[in-house]
Each structure stands twice: as structure tokens, then as C-alpha cells.
Amino acid sequence: DGGITQSPKYLFRKEGQNVTLSCEQNLNHDAMYWYRQDPGQGLRLIYYSQIVNDFQKGDIAEGYSVSREKKESFPLTVTSAQKNPTAFYLCASSKSGHIGDGYTFGSGTRLTVV
Amino acid sequence: GENVEQHPSTLSVQEGDSAVIKCTYSDSASNYFPWYKQELGKRPQLIIDIRSNVGEKKDQRIAVTLNKTAKHFSLHITETQPEDSAVYFCATNTGGYQKVTFGTGTKLQVIP
């Protein structure tokens, strides 16, 4: 399914709970990214990682955390500190962090706070 | 940080007509400009990209033009078909790295 898998497809969370979104790729890509998609706001970068054991905050990192312990995995945790977590979350990867390597996106996880 | 503005937010064209989507950016160091297409319920996919050392790039019915002086770039789709209906996102990198900032998207509807 395109080499990058996100799970689950739909996720419901109660207020005050942390949840973790999975992103796995078998493309041997070095760089991975998490974006949040809201209607009318495009895609906004949450976190990105150029290599294993290294990651950087994006534009809207508050209330989120990530880890990059393995090259193929880049899980995103939405913490209770995220004030408006209901959104569509997209994971992406690129061959490297260099200019010109297009992104491959996962199919996304839709998170709803109930 | 980088600011990318995209217009229009929605666009309806008759099948066979051309469609143009425009984006402006703020960071003069940006040098990579990809375009992504997201069909309803699907993931975004890269359809074309251009680097700053090129003014125009074509791929069949799709072309992208870049004006670095004015800091804007455009996507041109000719002979539109119903399967071109989707949301299109422009993007550009921040500084010298691959991390990109996306525009807010344009919903294109091609009317048969």
C-alpha cells in the first residue's frame, strides 16, 4: 500500500488521554514527517526526523511528541496538552532530507476527541 | 518562518478548459517547489516539482512556472479531465532543507 502505513485509520480519544499514532515505512527512507490537516488550513508540520534518533519540532509541535528509535518507524503521540487534537494526521517520508526528494504519504489517521 | 499563500481556494472549470493555481512565498532562500494532488479520501501524491534554477517544467498536460524575482509559482493544467478533480497543494522548502511548508490547498472541480 505505497510503502508507508499508518494505523489506525480512525481513532477516538477521550479528553485527557494520550494516544499514539503509528507510522511505518519499508522504503528505506531516511527522513520522516508528521503533518496535521485541517479544513482550509492545508498541511501543517508537527515534527520531522532526518535520521534515526534525531527529530526536530515543526510549526505546531506543542502538545505532541515523537520518537525515532528505528529507521522505519516514526510514531506520534498526541498528549492531553494538545488543546484541539481532532484532525486528520498524515505521515510522510522522503529518501533523504535533501532538496528534491519528494514525499511519499501514508493514508492518514483521523483522530476524534469524544 | 516560511509563508505560502495559495489562490484560489476553489476552482471550477469545464472539461477541456485550462486551470491555473497560483502560490506566493516569502523566503527568498526557497529553492524547491513541489505540487501535490489529493483526491477525495486519498493521500497526497507528488505530481510535479521544480527547482529554482529552472523557470518552467512540463509533464504532459501539467506545467509549473516559477518567478523567483516576484516569489510566485503556478500550476497549469491544460485540457482538463474529470479525473483532474482533486485538491491541489503547492509547497516550498524552508531554508536549505527538504522540510516543506504547504499552501492551504485549491479544490479543483472539472465539470463534464
Side-chain angles (χ1 to χ4, degrees), chain A residues 35-38 86-90 107-111, chain B residues 38:
Chain A
Y35 282 87
R36 170 178 170 145
Q37 187 172 22
D38 295 283
T86 294
F88 188 57
Y89 292 86
L90 282 163
S107 55
T109 293
R110 187 167 296 281
L111 173 64
Chain B
Q38 186 176 27

Side-chain angles (χ1 to χ4, degrees), chain A residues 1-2 4 33 35 37 40-43 45 48 50 90 94 96-103 105-107, chain B residues 31-32 36 38 41-46 49 51 87 89 93 95-105:
Chain A
D1 190 20
I4 183 166
Y33 315 82
Y35 282 87
Q37 187 172 22
Q41 296 195 53
L43 287 77
L45 182 65
Y48 64 100
Q50 293 178 256
L90 282 163
S94 64
S96 72
H98 299 302
I99 306 300
D101 288 341
Y103 287 9
F105 281 92
S107 55
Chain B
N31 56 4
Y32 175 62
Y36 287 83
Q38 186 176 27
K42 296 187 177 180
R43 69 191 75 189
Q45 290 192 311
L46 178 69
D49 57 15
R51 299 201 188 195
V87 178
F89 292 97
N93 64 320
Y97 181 58
Q98 171 66 350
K99 176 173 71 74
V100 298
T101 298
F102 286 84
T104 52

Side-chain angles (χ1 to χ4, degrees), chain A:
Chain A
D1 190 20
I4 183 166
T5 303
Q6 288 185 244
S7 61
K9 189 172 183 178
Y10 300 96
L11 186 58
F12 297 89
R13 189 195 90 173
K14 292 183 179 179
E15 287 193 23
Q17 287 183 336
N18 294 354
V19 289
T20 297
L21 282 59
S22 171
C23 179
E24 303 276 335
Q25 53 98 0
N26 60 5
L27 300 167
N28 199 31
H29 285 177
D30 287 323
M32 298 186 75
Y33 315 82
W34 274 105
Y35 282 87
R36 170 178 170 145
Q37 187 172 22
D38 295 283
Q41 296 195 53
L43 287 77
R44 293 182 291 166
L45 182 65
I46 305 172
Y47 269 97
Y48 64 100
S49 169
Q50 293 178 256
I51 57 172
V52 176
N53 293 321
D54 182 63
F55 50 83
Q56 305 294 330
K57 291 183 179 179
D59 301 319
I60 55 166
E62 184 176 354
Y64 300 98
S65 66
V66 293
S67 63
R68 188 83 189 277
E69 297 177 359
K70 299 186 296 181
K71 185 176 184 177
E72 55 270 22
S73 179
F74 191 41
L76 173 73
T77 296
V78 184
T79 75
S80 57
Q82 169 49 234
K83 297 179 180 180
N84 185 23
T86 294
F88 188 57
Y89 292 86
L90 282 163
C91 179
S93 68
S94 64
K95 186 176 180 181
S96 72
H98 299 302
I99 306 300
D101 288 341
Y103 287 9
T104 299
F105 281 92
S107 55
T109 293
R110 187 167 296 281
L111 173 64
T112 303
V113 174
V114 296

